Amino acid sequence: MKATVVIPNLNGAGWLKDSIESIFAQTEQDFELIVIDNGSTDESLEMARGYIGRENYTLIENKSNTGFSAAVNAGIRAAKGEFVALFNNDAFAQPDWLEQLLHCAEQDPKIFSVASLMLRYYEPELADDAGDYVNLLGWACKTGDGLKASRYQKQKRCFTACGGAALYRKSVLDQIGLFDENFFAYLEDVDIGWRGLSLGYKNVYCPKAVCRHICGATTGGAKGAKYNDFKAIQSGRNNLLLPYKNMPLLMLLLNLPFLLVGYGIKVLFFCLRGYGKPFLQGAKEAFSAFGKLEKPEFRLKNIPNYFYIEWLMFLNVFKYVDYRVRRAFGWT
């Protein structure tokens, strides 16, 4: 089988059915679909059950919310496909989405992941995500968020793919491990892409693989809340876990001044928006989780990859500044 599509679901009654139907309508039909329900209490679980019996469809029901990472890991472990595509329950794929992802991945066996062009559902002329990146301050950012999608029509390498609509080579997942469940939700996709980069694999952005996305529908964004306690906790914890886990000791020490400045700015940012307490709660959780992380083994042969990552993070400072200036002046 060519691919497995994994959709994690939590109370997605408003959009899960359309998301599933967009996958079944793909031009590439050599795939299976696995839906992981994470303890839904709304009608979406019955929606997912309604597809039981359909060819190449599997529903895995969790009794509680295990988090994004654990949910998709269950799907990956059950996957039969050569590639695994993750797809949010609030995303809706164009008919050739999977075909384009596979075409891109098959261009080079060193390609680990392929990022989609995710468009804002209510403003489809604007990008939601065109590949993720990390800068020297330790900030993980979405490329193109809120800018015109027409700016992102060229295939190129990216730091990592957004796990909301991305394709992964399963043989590489077997090598580097699955999504880190210590992250629970947010930045787990950046972590796994970073691990791939450290081993010399490539993450690529594919502008022809297009979907529309209701950003943050499961965690409150669809209701107009850009920030909430849950997101603040995840940010406070995972923004510490990400560099600590993925940077070798010397790299971590060299970058520590930048990381401290970056994290300090985030503390101030969340405090000013009334979420300082949950953010600092997340920071406390991070220190408790450090001992549970499985840091990738340092290898001398990977030193060129570490230098490449460091160079990317340096360049991404300018990329972030350019983005903020464009948003500030409305230069979409």
Side-chain angles (χ1 to χ4, degrees):
M1 183 171 289
K2 180 63 69 175
T4 298
V5 180
V6 176
I7 300 180
N9 176 63
L10 175 63
N11 295 331
W15 40 83
L16 178 63
K17 181 177 176 60
D18 289 340
S19 181
I20 290 175
E21 290 296 336
S22 77
I23 297 300
F24 279 132
Q26 291 296 297
T27 55
E28 172 61 67
Q29 285 291 306
D30 187 13
F31 73 90
E32 62 175 342
L33 173 60
I34 301 177
V35 172
I36 316 294
D37 186 82
N38 241 4
S40 293
T41 56
D42 67 358
E43 298 86 355
S44 62
L45 178 55
E46 286 305 316
M47 290 179 182
R49 287 173 176 168
Y51 290 92
I52 294 176
R54 184 158 181 167
E55 186 178 5
N56 294 326
Y57 175 80
T58 302
L59 172 63
I60 298 175
E61 297 184 29
N62 293 328
K63 294 181 179 180
S64 61
N65 181 11
T66 62
F68 179 89
S69 298
V72 298
N73 283 347
I76 293 170
R77 292 187 186 101
K80 302 173 185 176
E82 178 184 354
F83 296 91
V84 176
L86 304 188
F87 200 62
N88 277 5
N89 67 345
D90 58 350
F92 314 94
Q94 289 194 356
D96 63 344
W97 170 76
L98 183 58
E99 178 183 350
Q100 294 294 345
L101 288 176
L102 290 168
H103 175 73
C104 182
E106 290 169 340
Q107 294 173 11
D108 184 348
K110 294 295 288 183
I111 292 177
F112 166 44
S113 71
V114 184
S116 305
L117 171 56
M118 302 177 73
L119 306 176
R120 291 187 174 187
Y121 182 80
Y122 297 106
E123 301 170 287
E125 74 281 2
L126 302 181
D128 173 49
D129 196 304
D132 294 343
Y133 65 93
V134 178
N135 62 33
L136 280 180
L137 297 175
W139 298 347
C141 310
K142 300 194 296 183
T143 297
D145 184 19
L147 301 183
K148 290 182 179 178
S150 58
R151 294 172 49 86
Y152 305 99
Q153 297 301 312
K154 183 178 180 180
Q155 179 177 314
K156 60 181 178 180
R157 292 184 65 173
C158 59
F159 197 96
T160 65
C162 172
L167 186 78
Y168 297 88
R169 192 179 300 270
K170 194 168 185 297
S171 61
V172 179
L173 290 171
D174 294 337
Q175 177 186 352
I176 71 174
L178 303 184
F179 288 82
D180 191 332
E181 297 178 15
N182 289 295
F183 284 78
F184 194 83
Y186 298 117
L187 301 189
E188 71 291 311
D189 47 2
V190 181
D191 166 64
I192 205 166
W194 193 330
R195 277 186 270 154
L197 285 179
S198 294
L199 293 179
Y201 289 104
K202 302 175 183 178
N203 302 310
V204 177
Y205 163 65
C206 178
K208 293 183 179 180
V210 181
C211 67
R212 291 171 67 175
H213 181 222
I214 306 174
C215 183
T218 299
T219 56
K223 300 176 183 179
K226 188 174 183 181
Y227 303 102
N228 54 41
D229 286 355
F230 174 78
K231 292 180 180 180
I233 292 171
Q234 300 303 307
S235 181
R237 182 181 65 244
N238 295 347
N239 276 278
L240 287 174
L241 298 185
L242 183 68
Y244 175 81
K245 175 180 177 180
N246 287 284
M247 289 184 178
L249 180 58
L250 180 58
M251 187 178 184
L252 184 61
L253 292 175
L254 289 173
N255 285 280
L256 189 58
F258 304 108
L259 296 174
L260 290 175
V261 170
Y263 199 78
I265 293 173
K266 278 190 171 289
V267 171
L268 179 62
F269 176 87
F270 278 92
C271 284
L272 290 174
R273 280 158 179 76
Y275 296 103
K277 186 175 180 179
F279 185 87
L280 292 174
Q281 177 186 333
K284 182 179 179 180
E285 292 179 6
F287 285 101
S288 299
F290 280 159
K292 303 175 184 178
L293 294 177
E294 294 185 17
K295 287 177 66 70
E297 181 183 354
F298 173 80
R299 298 175 183 175
L300 288 175
K301 67 178 182 179
N302 290 334
I303 287 180
N305 304 329
Y306 304 142
F307 273 105
Y308 174 67
I309 292 170
E310 186 72 22
W311 175 243
L312 285 181
M313 290 192 300
F314 171 74
L315 293 179
N316 287 338
V317 172
F318 300 97
K319 181 176 181 177
Y320 179 77
V321 171
D322 175 75
Y323 169 75
R324 296 312 312 181
V325 169
R326 291 182 180 278
R327 290 301 303 269
F329 288 95
W331 300 338
T332 59

